[in-house]
C-alpha cells in the first residue's frame, strides 16, 4: 500500500528561497513541455513521419538545451524539471484515457511545488536532506516505515510542506475500528442534531452568542447620533 505523509517544514530564509526557485524551475519545465507537446503533436498530425511527442523525448530535449538557453535551471536539483515533465506525461496519459481534462499551464502561487525521487533526498528523524541545499528541519518525523518512493515539496500560503510517499505494509499506525452500533440522526433548527439515543447536539447559535454585543454596539451608535 502506498501512503503519503505530508509534513510541515521549518526552512530558514535561504532554504525557503531555494524552494521557491526550484518550484519555479518545475513550473517553467512543465509549461515549456506542454507548449512543445502541442507543437510536436500538430507537426505529427500534419506529417505522420514526424515522431509523436513523449515525456521521455521532451526530457532529453530539455537536457540538451538547458545549459545554453536556461542556465538558471542548473542552480537547483535536476529532479525539479525532470519530474515536472514526467508528471505532464502522466497528465496526458490520463487525458487520452478519458480520466482527466487536457493539461493546463501551471501558475505561480497556485502550483508552487517540485518533486524529488528517492535517490535525491534523505531522511534523518525530523530532518530531510535536499540536493544543493542540505538538511531542512521537519515539524515531525515520518510516521510510516517501508520503501520511500518520492517527496514533493509544496507551498501553501507562506508555509512549505514535504509530502513523502512510502510503499508500506505497516498499518499499525491506523486505529482499530470499533463496532459502536448504529444511531439515527435528525437534523433540525432548534438543535443541530437529535440522535435516536435521545442525545441532543446543540448548534453554534452564533446570533444568540453575539446578540448581547450587538445590543451594546447599537446603544453606542444611538448615543453618538444623540450628541
Amino acid at each position: 500500500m502506498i501512503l503519503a505523509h505530508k509534513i510541515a517544514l521549518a526552512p530558514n530564509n535561504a532554504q525557503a528561497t531555494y524552494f521557491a526557485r526550484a518550484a519555479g524551475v518545475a513550473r517553467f519545465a512543465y509549461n515549456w513541455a506542454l507548449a512543445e507537446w502541442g507543437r510536436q503533436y500538430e507537426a505529427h498530425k500534419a506529417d505522420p513521419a514526424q515522431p509523436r511527442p513523449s515525456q521521455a523525448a521532451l526530457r532529453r530535449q530539455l537536457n540538451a538545451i538547458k545549459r545554453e538557453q536556461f542556465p538558471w535551471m542548473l542552480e537547483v536539483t535536476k529532479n525539479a524539471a525532470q519530474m515536472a515533465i514526467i508528471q505532464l506525461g502522466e497528465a496526458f496519459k490520463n487525458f487520452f484515457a478519458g480520466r482527466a481534462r487536457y493539461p493546463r499551464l501551471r501558475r505561480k502561487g497556485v502550483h508552487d511545488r517540485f518533486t524529488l525521487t528517492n535517490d535525491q533526498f534523505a531522511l534523518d528523524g525530523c530532518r530531510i536532506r535536499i540536493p544543493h541545499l542540505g538538511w531542512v528541519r521537519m515539524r515531525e518525523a515520518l510516521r510510516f516505515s517501508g520503501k520511500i518512493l518520492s517527496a514533493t515539496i509544496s507551498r501553501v500560503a507562506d508555509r512549505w510542506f514535504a509530502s513523502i510517499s512510502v510503499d508500506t505494509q505497516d498499518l499499525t499506525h491506523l486505529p482499530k475500528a470499533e463496532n459502536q452500533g448504529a444511531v439515527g440522526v435528525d437534523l433540525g433548527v432548534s438543535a443541530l442534531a437529535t440522535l435516536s439515543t435521545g442525545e441532543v447536539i446543540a448548534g453554534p447559535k452564533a446570533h444568540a452568542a453575539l446578540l448581547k454585543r450587538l445590543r451594546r454596539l447599537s446603544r453606542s451608535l444611538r448615543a453618538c447620533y444623540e450628541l
Side-chain angles (χ1 to χ4, degrees), residues 91-110:
F92 270 112
K93 185 184 296 184
N94 290 330
F95 168 71
F96 289 124
R99 295 189 295 266
R101 63 186 181 184
Y102 190 88
R104 296 187 177 185
L105 294 172
R106 287 185 177 179
R107 293 187 296 156
K108 184 177 181 179
V110 179

Side-chain angles (χ1 to χ4, degrees), residues 79 115-123 147-151 165:
N79 268 181
T115 300
L116 302 167
T117 52
N118 59 4
D119 62 330
Q120 291 293 305
F121 70 96
L123 297 175
K147 182 181 178 181
I148 296 175
L149 303 177
S150 65
S165 297

